[in-house]
Amino acid sequence: MNPAEKGTKTTRRFSLLDESKGLFKSKFYDSYFMNEFGKIETARSERYGSSYSIVILHVDRFKDDKPMQDKGEILEFIKKLVGAILEVVRTCDVVGMVEDKRIIIILPQTDYFGSLITIRKLAKALEFITTKGEPYASIIFSQATFPRDANGFGELVGVALKRVTEKKDSPWEKHNLKDKLFWEIVESLSGIGTDSSEYSTFDMDVSEEEDETLLDRINEVIIRDIKRSPQKKGILFMGVQSIRPELPVKKLVASLGTTATKTFLIGAGDEEETTQADSITTISLKDRRIRETLFTFFLNEDVSYGIICREAWGGSHHCFHTSDPYLVEGLVMKFQMDYSLQEQL
Amino acid sequence: MVENTILLALKDIRELETVSGKLMDKGYGLVTAGDGARVMEQCLKNTPSFIIVDLELPVINGEKLFKILTNNPNTSNVPFLFLSDRDEEVEGFRIGKDIFLKRPYKPEELVEKLKQSLLLTQEGMSSIGTKEIEGSLSQMSLADLLQILHLNKKEGELKITSGGSAGTVYIKDGNIYNAAVDQIEKEKALFRLLRWKEGTFAFHPKPVHCPQRIRSTTGNLLMEGMRQIDELEKAKHLYPAETALLKTRVDTSTLPKGLKPIIYEILFLLDFYPGTADLVGHCSSPDYEVYSTILNLKNRGIIGEVKKAKKGKALSKELVTPTQAIKIKEKIISRWADMLNVNFGKIFIASASPEISKNFFYACKGLPGFIINPKIASSHNANEGYIGEMGALKLYGGLDVVFFSVPTSRSMGPLLKAFSTNLIGLVLLWDERSSEEIPHLVDTKKNLLSRRRIPVLHIYGGGRELDRERTASFKKALKLKHDEPLFTFKGDDEVIVKIFRSFFDQLMKEDYVISGAFVL
């Protein structure tokens, strides 16, 4: 049994799947149909060399973690959920039940980033239903893309379900960061002391005698990574204290040429301004906190990496870095939201 | 869209009717718009041959439209005719291409100017779009040719061949964007090409998408190039011969900071490429600058010539056969649908000390097809723990095996996970002095192997053979099985080739699961 389902065991006394027929809108399908459609979509994507994605919505827990035994209440909730989902998705997307408390959406002709955008849209649309003014139910979104993640539909669902568990273990969910503002998240992350393979903290020297800092080297690694596969879609945010023409990172990014990675250079400036040149968008923000922070967020189909370094005593910086894709994506999303930047991936 | 479609956008309807009547009489295809947004929409649908625009157009004014459309690759070459009630300066106005007319004007005058401009554009386009310029360098030098292309604001690739060599100059709007010959790029490549007196050239007009690597203006660039060529010829007799072998005569770590970066680069590369021609070829600066710096260093006694090459066994020319290279590539793409885009595999190098890592890379210079990352050559950080690409092995079929140096500190774990795309192997390096760091190496190995199965090379770089007892002790510390190999690396022999042969054999034989990335 999936550990994610602990505590909700009692809900299995009845099956939502059995009830789904006829109770929901006609565009909401059962797992048999979804499975068949998924197989066809796989064959179609294979034939045309395209990709498609699936998104899984896992209803993790209800208010106060208490197991919901009221069938009517659960059904009412799921119905509202499905209704809201159907409002958000495109006409070509197919929504259905995969098993109890798990809704699946098949997104034809959608790549990894497309599925992330769909998740963002869904999260926004479902905010009211899931909170009802107070935390009512927690939904975990996960995704998988064909052929990037799996060779068939069943395998793809398996990957997406595995990611539900992974996401639950991610600091993004564990520390409830989704309800915080960008700088609150930065504050929380700087305090995490764990050294794991996904996230850890360390101190970095930024003395003037050093030709380049660890962050400069990491940025260079990222740029080389993009150069090696320029056709790969990605998004890169590089936060510098202030944008100056002679900034090494600016030259580094300028060497990128035409790539499928959207690159943003962010720094503190007196006036809010945005300039665009070739592959870089330079964003100048009037914020003291930007001046005291260095950060890089990089997300593409294969790499997810985020580092945030804040000024500390004695010319050193206290840094937090992570390779957790949910956290990196969350940081990008929060940054875009809090600074009213275009929400894009 | 019919040929010569004019997009006419005027705010005054009567003026729009008059001008459109005249244009249609002359047989031009016409699309009209009353505001800037409509112009944008029309341009997105079909690119017009010419845009006539009122500077005071509603929604998006004429100047703003001009700025947007000239920045769009699809419409950047479309000429504009601006109409205004007063004399105004239009930012970015292209003399010879765009036209400005102040009201009042005669519609006939407008049509005539438009006709002339279209004729000029089409003549230009025909020479750009379909024809090639071909010729011999003995009849027209490359410098002359580049000036002509510059004056005519051409865009495309200029291919030059001489003997068995070939080079390309990338030109956009008449400006030199980049040049390439063999593995060399930028000014260095251009100045080399300028020295070619014999050979052929062919200009292929096409859109150039490569990044702009050369920033100087064409005039300055050619002047500087010709000056460097003259200087190089004049002082040729003073420079070491191309075949001469060079050697550093001082401890480079004692050199002060703040010298010209080219000096550090030359001294670093010298360890890898003692041959003058090799050294000059691998240094990122233009040849003249490298030769004159070598001469300067030689005169100061920092480097000197070595009379004879060290006698040693020649290393085998091939590390892996073409068939093996293809198999390696197949291994890397085994889980990738996007076969065409897989052009590299990565080997992580985890070292217990920066010094041993450096020695290892010095030894790798002997591997056939090994290229050091020039960034390391020009930085002062080679002695420190480096993160990132140290070098790459170029294998048959355009496959690079990238040697990627990784930190072993536990707090750097996220870096390992994030940058493990196309990971095909791991090398662990340590020596006697750094043996207390072995637990960190074991942690790194454990961290990576918990996610994927890859061949791991355990290399002791202590410079001496290990006795049975010491071997057993290291194997225990590294948590190796009794029959798992432990290599000993002495720095300057063929062992390194054997080690990598063994690695590639292992990679091909065993069913290693190589995925493009960690499962998110």
Side-chain angles (χ1 to χ4, degrees):
Chain A
M1 185 182 190
N2 191 326
E5 290 169 16
K6 275 180 191 170
T8 54
K9 204 174 174 180
T10 44
T11 58
R12 283 189 173 272
R13 273 188 244 153
F14 58 88
S15 168
L16 287 173
L17 279 178
D18 302 335
E19 305 288 341
S20 63
K21 275 184 187 173
L23 273 173
F24 299 106
K25 291 185 179 179
S26 59
K27 280 184 179 178
F28 186 67
Y29 302 96
D30 62 13
S31 62
Y32 176 78
F33 179 88
M34 294 306 284
N35 198 32
E36 290 304 303
F37 190 88
K39 282 180 195 165
I40 294 167
E41 197 52 47
T42 306
R44 186 161 36 203
S45 297
E46 260 177 355
R47 170 71 181 82
Y48 295 106
S50 59
S51 57
Y52 79 93
S53 296
I54 60 165
V55 167
I56 286 185
L57 284 84
H58 171 83
V59 183
D60 185 41
R61 61 177 188 274
F62 290 94
K63 189 184 170 187
D64 302 332
D65 284 345
K66 71 174 181 189
M68 298 295 293
Q69 295 191 35
D70 183 348
K71 183 179 167 183
E73 193 176 353
I74 295 179
L75 276 177
E76 193 55 36
F77 175 76
I78 299 282
K79 263 189 206 168
K80 277 190 179 170
L81 204 63
V82 172
I85 292 168
L86 289 170
E87 290 285 316
V88 172
V89 297
R90 305 166 300 182
T91 43
C92 62
D93 299 335
V94 181
V95 187
M97 208 77 181
V98 63
E99 56 182 90
D100 276 8
K101 298 195 283 111
R102 277 174 184 161
I103 292 167
I104 185 170
I105 308 168
I106 298 176
L107 309 164
Q109 296 282 332
T110 306
D111 65 4
Y112 167 66
F113 280 103
S115 65
L116 291 187
I117 288 283
T118 306
I119 289 177
R120 279 195 189 184
K121 281 185 192 165
L122 286 166
K124 261 190 190 170
L126 303 182
E127 205 171 17
F128 180 73
I129 301 163
T130 51
T131 58
K132 288 186 176 178
E134 56 180 289
Y136 177 76
S138 166
I139 294 183
I140 294 177
F141 298 91
S142 85
Q143 62 73 235
T145 303
F146 175 89
R148 173 183 174 258
D149 297 316
N151 293 321
F153 182 69
E155 210 182 314
L156 204 62
V157 173
V159 171
L161 290 177
K162 191 181 163 211
R163 286 178 185 171
V164 170
T165 320
E166 282 177 0
K167 198 169 183 183
K168 280 178 80 174
D169 292 337
S170 155
W172 187 250
E173 291 291 333
K174 264 206 301 206
H175 300 284
N176 225 5
L177 300 177
K178 61 185 171 188
D179 299 326
K180 292 182 177 168
L181 296 171
F182 177 75
W183 289 106
E184 287 173 352
I185 296 172
V186 171
E187 195 69 42
S188 304
L189 294 177
S190 304
I192 294 178
T194 326
D195 279 348
S196 82
S197 60
E198 272 84 28
Y199 52 95
S200 66
T201 50
F202 63 94
D203 289 323
M204 176 180 78
D205 269 340
V206 193
S207 61
E208 285 184 5
E209 286 169 19
E210 289 287 322
D211 291 325
E212 56 176 5
T213 62
L214 177 70
L215 184 60
D216 290 331
R217 287 185 217 166
I218 291 171
N219 284 340
E220 200 192 326
V221 168
I222 292 171
I223 297 291
R224 284 184 87 91
D225 217 88
I226 297 172
K227 280 183 178 172
R228 282 216 172 264
S229 311
Q231 77 292 342
K232 220 170 254 177
K233 269 169 90 175
I235 192 160
L236 170 64
F237 280 84
M238 282 175 162
V240 292
Q241 288 168 326
S242 63
I243 298 168
R244 302 182 310 274
E246 74 281 5
L247 211 62
V249 74
K250 210 170 173 183
K251 283 182 192 161
L252 196 66
V253 177
S255 71
L256 268 177
T258 310
T259 73
T261 300
K262 294 172 194 165
T263 306
F264 299 88
L265 191 63
I266 293 128
D270 291 335
E271 286 177 18
E272 282 196 17
E273 65 171 73
T274 303
T275 53
Q276 195 156 2
D278 296 337
S279 53
I280 328 169
T281 303
T282 309
I283 301 170
S284 189
L285 297 168
K286 194 180 177 183
D287 191 333
R288 178 187 51 80
R289 292 167 298 187
I290 296 267
R291 208 181 282 280
E292 293 166 357
T293 314
L294 300 163
F295 62 89
T296 295
F297 306 135
F298 178 46
L299 197 66
N300 77 11
E301 288 176 9
D302 301 326
V303 184
S304 48
Y305 182 75
I307 179 167
I308 302 165
C309 295
R310 305 180 80 193
E311 272 183 13
W313 292 105
S316 80
H317 275 61
H318 186 60
C319 303
F320 168 88
H321 68 157
T322 179
S323 56
D324 183 292
Y326 316 106
L327 188 50
V328 178
E329 206 265 318
L331 283 163
V332 169
M333 179 183 73
K334 287 286 177 181
F335 187 80
Q336 289 172 339
M337 277 169 66
D338 291 359
Y339 284 99
S340 306
L341 304 176
Q342 190 186 358
E343 284 186 46
Q344 55 176 317
L345 278 173
Chain B
M1 181 170 254
V2 292
E3 222 178 282
N4 286 342
T5 304
I6 315 295
L7 202 162
L8 180 64
L10 300 173
K11 66 174 179 182
D12 185 68
I13 292 183
R14 273 194 297 179
E15 186 184 9
L16 190 125
E17 281 171 1
T18 317
V19 178
S20 57
K22 287 279 175 199
L23 291 170
M24 281 162 86
D25 287 349
K26 295 284 174 189
Y28 292 112
L30 199 67
V31 178
T32 57
D35 62 63
R38 185 101 177 108
V39 175
M40 294 281 290
E41 197 183 302
Q42 293 292 350
C43 285
L44 284 176
K45 269 191 206 162
N46 283 309
T47 310
S49 319
F50 207 99
I51 298 172
I52 301 173
V53 69
D54 199 329
L55 272 179
E56 288 86 34
L57 207 60
V59 189
I60 304 172
N61 69 37
E63 191 168 357
K64 186 93 181 162
L65 263 178
F66 177 64
K67 204 172 168 187
I68 296 168
L69 293 174
T70 46
N71 274 320
N72 183 323
N74 290 328
T75 47
S76 61
N77 280 322
V78 180
F80 272 68
L81 189 150
F82 299 100
L83 291 169
S84 178
D85 296 330
R86 52 186 181 275
D87 280 324
E88 277 183 72
E89 274 196 20
V90 180
E91 201 186 320
F93 188 86
R94 299 160 298 184
I95 299 165
K97 187 166 198 168
D98 302 317
I99 303 163
F100 185 90
L101 267 184
K102 191 184 161 190
R103 293 191 183 93
Y105 61 89
K106 287 183 183 171
E108 293 78 12
E109 184 192 359
L110 182 147
V111 174
E112 191 54 35
K113 280 191 182 286
L114 174 83
K115 193 175 146 192
Q116 281 177 5
S117 177
L118 276 172
L119 262 175
L120 281 172
T121 314
Q122 277 159 4
E123 275 171 12
M125 286 305 285
S126 63
S127 65
I128 284 176
T130 52
K131 290 178 192 168
E132 286 185 0
I133 307 167
E134 283 180 325
S136 160
L137 287 174
S138 56
Q139 288 173 332
M140 181 182 272
S141 72
L142 180 59
D144 290 343
L145 185 61
L146 288 170
Q147 286 190 66
I148 292 169
L149 295 172
H150 172 65
L151 288 172
N152 289 284
K153 296 196 169 209
K154 300 288 182 191
E155 180 169 354
E157 291 176 8
L158 179 62
K159 306 257 184 206
I160 307 118
T161 49
S162 180
S165 303
T168 309
V169 183
Y170 300 89
I171 297 160
K172 195 168 185 175
D173 281 336
N175 296 316
I176 299 168
Y177 255 47
N178 198 4
V181 57
D182 301 325
Q183 301 283 334
I184 302 164
E185 268 194 304
K186 301 196 274 189
E187 282 90 347
K188 186 183 180 83
L190 181 74
F191 295 173
R192 278 199 173 189
L193 291 171
L194 285 171
R195 285 164 69 188
W196 292 5
K197 301 289 175 210
E198 296 293 328
T200 57
F201 62 80
F203 181 68
H204 302 271
K206 57 162 84 165
V208 169
H209 299 298
C210 72
Q212 188 174 5
R213 293 281 166 84
I214 296 177
R215 302 270 169 187
S216 315
T217 60
T218 303
N220 286 349
L221 198 62
L222 293 178
M223 290 257 284
E224 179 59 16
M226 300 315 285
R227 181 191 75 81
Q228 291 204 7
I229 290 167
D230 283 350
E231 298 284 347
L232 195 62
E233 287 301 316
K234 260 192 241 167
K236 204 174 178 179
H237 61 285
L238 300 172
Y239 301 139
E242 286 192 346
T243 51
L245 295 173
L246 302 169
K247 196 185 170 189
T248 316
R249 294 211 185 279
V250 295
D251 179 2
T252 49
S253 62
T254 60
L255 287 173
K257 278 193 172 185
L259 298 175
K260 282 185 190 170
I262 188 175
I263 295 176
Y264 298 109
E265 188 179 357
I266 288 174
L267 294 174
F268 181 85
L269 287 171
L270 205 49
D271 281 330
F272 290 82
Y273 309 106
T276 308
D278 259 0
L279 177 65
V280 175
H282 283 90
C283 191
S284 58
S285 301
D287 293 357
Y288 167 68
E289 289 169 31
V290 185
Y291 271 116
S292 47
T293 310
I294 290 174
L295 185 64
N296 200 355
L297 292 171
K298 199 180 152 206
N299 290 342
R300 287 165 189 267
I302 296 169
I303 59 174
E305 276 187 49
V306 185
K307 283 184 182 170
K308 279 181 185 175
K310 274 185 191 172
K311 278 190 179 176
K313 286 177 192 172
L315 293 176
S316 164
K317 283 198 172 175
E318 260 179 357
L319 188 63
V320 290
T321 63
T323 319
Q324 286 170 324
I326 290 165
K327 279 188 181 171
I328 293 167
K329 190 163 184 169
E330 280 171 358
K331 276 273 175 190
I332 300 171
I333 60 179
S334 58
R335 279 201 60 191
W336 282 62
D338 194 11
M339 289 176 69
L340 293 173
N341 294 320
V342 176
N343 53 10
F344 72 99
K346 212 180 262 177
I347 297 178
F348 275 177
I349 313 287
S351 172
S353 80
E355 199 183 335
I356 181 124
S357 171
K358 188 182 165 188
N359 291 340
F360 177 74
F361 277 97
Y362 277 13
C364 285
K365 72 186 177 188
L367 289 172
F370 184 79
I371 292 174
I372 190 102
N373 173 7
K375 171 74 192 349
I376 295 174
S378 56
S379 76
H380 318 306
N381 295 310
N383 293 336
E384 298 169 18
Y386 193 82
I387 296 173
E389 285 186 35
M390 300 283 284
L393 255 179
K394 300 252 171 213
L395 298 187
Y396 174 84
L399 180 73
D400 286 1
V401 174
V402 175
F403 288 40
F404 193 97
S405 180
V406 291
T408 53
S409 153
R410 196 171 163 73
S411 65
M412 291 291 125
L415 277 173
L416 298 191
K417 187 187 165 192
F419 297 105
S420 61
T421 316
N422 290 16
L423 188 68
I424 58 168
L426 170 68
V427 171
L428 301 181
L429 294 166
W430 78 99
D431 59 6
E432 211 69 54
R433 277 185 295 176
S434 59
S435 55
E436 72 275 11
E437 295 292 319
I438 287 178
H440 290 297
L441 297 181
V442 175
D443 274 354
T444 305
K445 180 169 82 165
K446 204 174 146 193
N447 178 357
L448 288 166
L449 293 185
S450 67
R451 292 165 190 280
R452 74 185 65 191
R453 228 177 132 229
I454 46 168
V456 183
L457 289 175
H458 302 83
I459 306 176
Y460 169 75
R464 62 182 174 87
E465 287 295 335
L466 288 171
D467 57 29
R468 191 181 288 178
E469 199 183 326
R470 204 72 190 115
T471 304
S473 139
F474 280 137
K475 279 194 172 184
K476 194 179 171 192
L478 287 158
K479 297 182 179 161
L480 281 180
K481 285 178 195 160
H482 183 66
D483 56 346
E484 281 187 272
L486 195 151
F487 295 96
T488 307
F489 147 70
K490 292 184 209 159
D492 60 347
D493 54 21
E494 277 202 6
V495 170
I496 203 81
V497 175
K498 279 185 194 161
I499 289 174
F500 277 98
R501 284 223 170 103
S502 148
F503 169 79
F504 287 123
D505 282 348
Q506 216 179 332
L507 180 68
M508 283 178 288
K509 265 184 226 161
E510 296 190 30
D511 184 24
Y512 285 107
V513 178
I514 298 158
S515 65
F518 289 114
V519 174
L520 296 177

Coordinates of all heavy atoms in Angstrom, one line a residue, chain B residues 1 22 29 59 93 149 187 249 283 302 334 351 387 423 445 465:
Chain B
M1 N 0.4 35.3 -50.7 CA 0.5 36.8 -50.9 C 1.1 37.0 -52.3 O 2.1 36.4 -52.6 CB 1.3 37.4 -49.8 CG 1.5 38.9 -50.0 SD 2.2 39.6 -48.5 CE 0.9 40.4 -47.8
K22 N -3.7 54.8 -56.2 CA -2.5 55.0 -57.0 C -1.7 53.7 -57.1 O -1.2 53.2 -58.1 CB -1.6 56.1 -56.4 CG -2.2 57.5 -56.7 CD -1.9 58.0 -58.1 CE -2.5 59.3 -58.3 NZ -2.7 59.6 -59.7
G29 N -0.1 44.6 -55.1 CA -1.0 44.0 -54.1 C -1.1 44.9 -52.9 O -0.1 45.5 -52.5
V59 N -3.1 53.5 -31.7 CA -2.8 52.3 -31.0 C -1.3 52.1 -30.8 O -0.7 52.1 -29.8 CB -3.5 51.0 -31.5 CG1 -3.3 49.9 -30.6 CG2 -5.0 51.3 -31.7
F93 N 16.5 54.5 -38.3 CA 16.2 54.7 -39.7 C 17.3 54.2 -40.6 O 18.5 54.5 -40.3 CB 16.0 56.2 -40.0 CG 15.5 56.5 -41.4 CD1 14.1 56.5 -41.7 CD2 16.4 56.8 -42.4 CE1 13.7 56.8 -43.0 CE2 15.9 57.2 -43.7 CZ 14.6 57.1 -44.0
L149 N 31.5 42.6 -49.0 CA 30.3 42.1 -48.3 C 29.8 43.0 -47.2 O 28.6 43.1 -47.0 CB 30.6 40.7 -47.7 CG 30.9 39.6 -48.8 CD1 31.4 38.3 -48.1 CD2 29.7 39.3 -49.6
E187 N 38.4 35.9 -33.6 CA 39.4 36.7 -34.3 C 40.6 35.8 -34.7 O 41.2 36.0 -35.7 CB 40.0 37.8 -33.4 CG 39.1 39.0 -33.3 CD 38.1 38.9 -32.1 OE1 37.9 37.8 -31.6 OE2 37.4 39.9 -31.8
R249 N 60.5 27.0 -17.4 CA 61.8 27.0 -16.6 C 61.6 27.4 -15.2 O 62.6 27.4 -14.4 CB 62.8 27.8 -17.3 CG 63.2 27.2 -18.7 CD 64.7 27.6 -19.0 NE 65.1 27.2 -20.3 CZ 65.4 25.9 -20.6 NH1 65.3 25.0 -19.7 NH2 65.7 25.6 -21.9
C283 N 45.9 27.9 -27.8 CA 45.8 29.2 -27.1 C 44.6 30.0 -27.7 O 44.5 30.0 -28.9 CB 47.1 29.9 -27.1 SG 47.0 31.3 -25.9
I302 N 61.5 32.6 -18.7 CA 60.4 31.8 -18.0 C 60.1 30.5 -18.8 O 59.8 29.5 -18.2 CB 59.2 32.8 -17.9 CG1 59.5 33.9 -17.0 CG2 58.0 32.0 -17.4 CD1 58.5 35.0 -17.0
S334 N 20.2 4.8 -25.1 CA 19.3 3.6 -24.9 C 18.0 4.0 -24.3 O 17.0 3.4 -24.5 CB 20.0 2.6 -24.1 OG 20.3 3.1 -22.8
S351 N 37.7 13.6 -6.8 CA 39.0 13.5 -6.3 C 39.2 13.9 -4.9 O 38.5 14.8 -4.4 CB 39.9 14.4 -7.2 OG 41.2 14.4 -6.7
I387 N 34.9 22.8 -10.3 CA 33.6 22.2 -10.6 C 33.3 22.4 -12.0 O 33.4 23.6 -12.5 CB 32.5 22.8 -9.7 CG1 32.8 22.5 -8.2 CG2 31.1 22.2 -10.1 CD1 31.8 23.2 -7.3
L423 N 25.1 10.8 -17.6 CA 26.2 10.3 -16.9 C 26.5 8.8 -17.3 O 25.6 8.0 -17.3 CB 25.9 10.3 -15.4 CG 27.0 10.0 -14.4 CD1 28.1 11.0 -14.5 CD2 26.6 9.8 -13.0
K445 N 30.1 8.0 -4.3 CA 29.8 6.8 -5.1 C 28.4 6.2 -4.7 O 27.6 6.0 -5.6 CB 30.9 5.7 -4.9 CG 30.7 4.5 -5.7 CD 31.9 3.6 -5.6 CE 32.0 2.7 -4.4 NZ 32.9 1.6 -4.5
E465 N 53.5 1.5 -6.9 CA 52.7 0.3 -6.8 C 52.3 0.0 -5.4 O 53.1 0.3 -4.5 CB 53.6 -0.9 -7.3 CG 53.8 -0.9 -8.9 CD 52.5 -1.0 -9.7 OE1 51.5 -1.6 -9.2 OE2 52.5 -0.6 -10.8

